[in-house]
Amino acid sequence: MTSILIIDDEVEVGNFLSHLFTSKGYKVRVVNSKKEFDAIDFDHHQFQGAMIDLKLPDANGLALLKHVKRRQPHCKVIIMTGYSTIKTAVEAMKLGASDYIEKPFDDIDLLEKQVDDLLVANGTSNEQRILDLATNVGLIVGHNEAMRQVIQTAYKVAGKHVNVLIGGETGTGKEVFARFIHQASQRCYESFIGVNCGALSESLLESELFGHEKGAFTGATQKRKGLFEIASKGTLFLDEIAEASTSIQVKLLRVLETREFMRVGGEQPLHTNARLLAATNEDLQEAVQQKKFREDLFYRLNVVHLEIPPLRDRKEDIPLLIEHFLKRYPSMEVSFSDGALEMLQSYEWPGNIRELSNYITRIVTFADSGHVNITADHLPFAKQRSVTLKKRTANDHTETPGTGMDNFIEKWRDDALSFYSKKEVINLEEVLAQLKQLESQLGKALVLQTLETTHGNRKEAAKRLQISMRKLRYLLNEKRNTE
Ligand SMILES: Nc1ncnc2c1ncn2[C@@H]1O[C@H](COP(=O)(O)OP(=O)(O)OP(=O)(O)O)[C@@H](O)[C@H]1O
Ligand SMILES: [Mg+2]
């Protein structure tokens, strides 16, 4: 018989849960204090599940959680929490709790379902579900323990209506993580909409987020819905949140507090139920100290904090990631010598997974034929940089395209030159033809990426890319021709 332990100082809560679960056929043991908890004989009573109140007058719920997990590691624990202690509940999940539920319980069906799901599901099926969801969004989990922990926590909080702040250096996969959370939530059939707070001017970002009424400003010829409205049933991803101006921060805080907002030029408050995820590669806490970021907004956004480790701290996953990126080129057969792999693993990867992905693209682009065997000799850049690289700082964007185009192109050129310096014969015509191809591929990719942020609005995309509509159509048509 499945046995559940309930720890809550409120006698009525204990009685209620006891009734609920006894009627469902579970065996229930309720304790109302630390003293009663200490009297439990864990050697002779196996619990499959436990529900622990975080706030007990004579004990800390986290300490009881640790005790239960130490004595009975297979026991699945649900933390019971009030809104003010959700952050601690998330900490509890990092310590091994499987889930948390908010008190007072306002949805008994949900409570029953949470407990049933937990007790029926076994660990491996959960793991498999995480892997399936991750594959869906193109996220390689790998073997690194820190990364696995982060993804576990992300999975556990995905279904909750709490804001999540995703931190991590550039290119570590913050956006992919946000997509994973959306995919793992009940909102997965609704839209996931991302907006880059650093890429738009203050006024554009404001009307993008909140929408505007007709005539709100010059050029506002029509009413337009904002992202808080469009993503009301889905997920809104605020990328580079540290870049949001003070005035946008105030407006964001208001929506987070009241779930209400007004379109620019509007007078009617509108309601939003959007789930908010935010990302930053800056140290937001430091920005708060320097008074660049509002503290109250920080706490609202940072209910759950996920920090994605840099690639240099999860080098064991590099071969797996390479394999993943090579799958984009099914006609290519690329193998790496042990020496080459070792060198790739000793490189610091300041641009993280994005840099690795670009690197693979480069190898494939410059390959002479469908078969390439990469040896350490092919990797001069890795050799030089693994020695000279300094630890990357939050403001150092030189490795990524878009943030330092000149440096990016220069690096690309240097890499290409050192790659070809190892070859005796080079077919330059072919190389130049491939570069032309790369140019149009990059153009297409940027158009598609921009169209995603403008929700398919081609005019807006052309404006942001500073190209004519004709050019945009040309690039898109070209995409169809080559597909
Ligand atoms: N775990 C992963 N598995 C596979 N690909 C990944 C993973 N993480 C990131 N990537 C790939 O690396 C690239 C960068 O990821 P993403 O855009 O999510 O990073 P980011 O942290 O948001 O970067 P930035 O701070 O520069 O915006 C993308 O092409 C993404 O598909
Ligand atoms: Mg990003």
Side-chain angles (χ1 to χ4, degrees), residues 138-140 170-176 281 321 324-325 353-354:
L139 190 157
I140 297 294
T170 185
T172 43
K174 296 184 289 297
E175 180 157 355
V176 195
N281 49 22
L321 283 161
H324 169 72
F325 292 129
I353 300 185
R354 181 183 292 109

Side-chain angles (χ1 to χ4, degrees), residues 296-315:
D296 39 14
L297 179 60
F298 171 69
Y299 285 116
R300 286 269 168 186
L301 291 171
N302 197 36
V303 177
V304 176
H305 185 92
L306 299 177
E307 188 69 26
I308 310 189
L311 186 56
R312 63 177 170 277
D313 289 348
R314 48 179 301 219
K315 290 177 174 172

Side-chain angles (χ1 to χ4, degrees), residues 37-262:
F37 177 84
D38 289 339
I40 298 172
D41 180 359
F42 282 103
D43 290 332
H44 296 98
H45 286 105
Q46 279 295 322
F47 296 101
Q48 284 70 42
M51 294 183 70
I52 305 181
D53 186 21
L54 259 192
K55 272 194 181 163
L56 296 165
D58 58 347
N60 175 344
L62 287 185
L64 302 192
L65 160 75
K66 281 192 207 157
H67 189 94
V68 171
K69 288 302 277 187
R70 196 171 57 240
R71 298 300 305 272
Q72 299 190 353
H74 298 296
C75 176
K76 304 276 177 58
V77 179
I78 294 185
I79 292 293
M80 295 185 278
T81 172
Y83 180 75
S84 60
T85 45
I86 285 188
K87 228 180 148 44
T88 324
V90 173
E91 282 312 307
M93 297 218 277
K94 291 180 182 167
L95 290 172
S98 302
D99 204 347
Y100 73 81
I101 186 154
E102 271 184 75
K103 284 206 299 186
F105 312 121
D106 51 6
D107 186 342
I108 305 304
D109 290 344
L110 178 73
L111 169 67
E112 282 186 61
K113 189 174 176 314
Q114 256 177 302
V115 174
D116 286 342
D117 285 355
L118 200 65
L119 295 178
V120 176
N122 59 42
T124 48
S125 68
N126 222 3
E127 190 120 307
Q128 191 51 49
R129 188 161 151 66
I130 290 181
L131 283 179
D132 291 345
L133 286 166
T135 310
N136 258 346
V137 296
L139 190 157
I140 297 294
V141 179
H143 305 292
N144 178 267
E145 198 37 49
M147 184 68 180
R148 292 179 79 88
Q149 287 265 342
V150 183
I151 199 126
Q152 283 270 355
T153 311
Y155 178 75
K156 287 177 183 175
V157 298
K160 313 283 180 189
H161 195 81
V162 289
N163 302 331
V164 180
L165 181 67
I166 308 171
E169 291 177 13
T170 185
T172 43
K174 296 184 289 297
E175 180 157 355
V176 195
F177 247 79
R179 287 181 190 278
F180 171 83
I181 294 176
H182 173 72
Q183 205 61 33
S185 74
Q186 297 92 327
R187 294 170 179 250
C188 59
Y189 298 110
E190 304 291 341
S191 40
F192 171 94
I193 301 177
V195 61
N196 187 324
C197 301
L200 304 178
S201 69
E202 182 177 314
S203 53
L204 193 53
L205 180 61
E206 183 179 356
S207 91
E208 189 80 9
L209 288 172
F210 307 110
H212 60 73
E213 295 293 345
K214 186 175 171 179
F217 46 82
T218 329
T221 50
Q222 287 182 28
K223 174 182 97 177
R224 186 157 180 250
K225 285 186 180 179
L227 300 182
F228 272 104
E229 208 170 336
I230 298 170
S232 188
K233 290 183 179 162
T235 304
L236 180 55
F237 174 54
L238 300 179
D239 204 359
E240 297 199 21
I241 187 71
E243 303 291 327
S245 68
T246 323
S247 129
I248 294 281
Q249 289 180 33
V250 173
K251 292 188 169 101
L252 282 174
L253 181 67
R254 201 173 304 147
V255 200
L256 294 189
E257 278 173 353
T258 62
R259 300 240 140 242
E260 287 192 341
F261 65 97
M262 277 194 266

